[in-house]
Amino acid sequence: MNLLLLSNSTQYGCGYLEHALDTVTAFLPTNARLAFVPYALADHAAYTARVREALEPSGITVRGVHENTDPVAELAASDAVFIGGGNSFRLLDALYRTGLREAVRDAVRDGLPYMGASAGTNMAAPTLRTSNDMPIVQPPSFEALGLVPFQINPHYLDPDPVSTHKGETREERLTEFLEENDVPVLGLREGSWLRVDAGRAHVQGARPARLFSRAAEPQELLPGSEVSLLLTTVPRFDAPAR
């Protein structure tokens, strides 16, 4: 499979996708027709227009799947697919409702390039259990696309040592996840992404990633680190630590 999984699509001080634009345009086929999946936000037309504005100057034709009465047919006519960020629960519910969950999964496994950002990156994991989002809707299942066999946490935030906030840190939340599930979680800080191609996986971008595994200390992964071993993961969900 050919995957580009961004932690974020917007970066402080940058326009939409600007922080990763060179990587994005190199990833997408030349003059590609890109199927954009806008279902993580409510205003599909405005969201699609934002992606067009960012990518069409680079020769990419952007088509929102909602612009076709048959979103699956729009996907089939495309050279690549991009699932954008927003609310992961709303997004997954729409993927089930439109038939795109199975269609995207099968097309990407057959070689269609897949780009995700934030919630779209969550969709590449087996489930959305490591999303940061509020469950504003109830999808039929937590089961996502399963393009990679491990979990991802986009927008990973390090603990702030001077914060007075008393809620759980992101690291504590992921530790709780690992107490109930035995599957690695790759925390992607903003400005970082995961590239998967030809059976190999690498952390890329401007910032390190952080890898969480059961019964192990979190591991810092510098940009350029190869993490292909994660592709051999056999995830175990609902498997409490004893």
Side-chain angles (χ1 to χ4, degrees), residues 124-210:
T127 85
L128 50 61
R129 297 187 194 202
T130 51
S131 168
N132 305 316
D133 299 332
M134 181 180 290
I136 61 173
V137 297
Q138 181 171 312
S141 168
F142 282 176
E143 187 175 349
L145 299 177
L147 303 178
V148 296
F150 53 92
Q151 291 296 118
I152 302 175
N153 179 243
H155 302 281
Y156 175 76
L157 286 173
D158 294 290
D160 181 354
V162 299
S163 174
T164 59
H165 177 64
K166 294 301 180 182
E168 288 92 337
T169 65
R170 189 68 55 76
E171 182 167 333
E172 288 170 336
R173 289 291 193 197
L174 295 179
T175 298
E176 291 171 349
F177 169 82
L178 289 168
E179 289 169 351
E180 301 293 337
N181 305 277
D182 189 5
V183 51
V185 184
L186 184 65
L188 290 176
R189 295 180 175 92
E190 293 194 348
S192 65
W193 52 83
L194 180 70
R195 185 73 173 89
V196 179
D197 187 29
R200 300 178 67 186
H202 292 84
V203 172
Q204 296 180 351
R207 302 183 67 193
R210 193 161 172 83

Side-chain angles (χ1 to χ4, degrees), residues 34 47 55 69 106 120 188 204:
L34 178 66
Y47 199 2
L55 295 182
T69 55
D106 293 346
L188 290 176
Q204 296 180 351

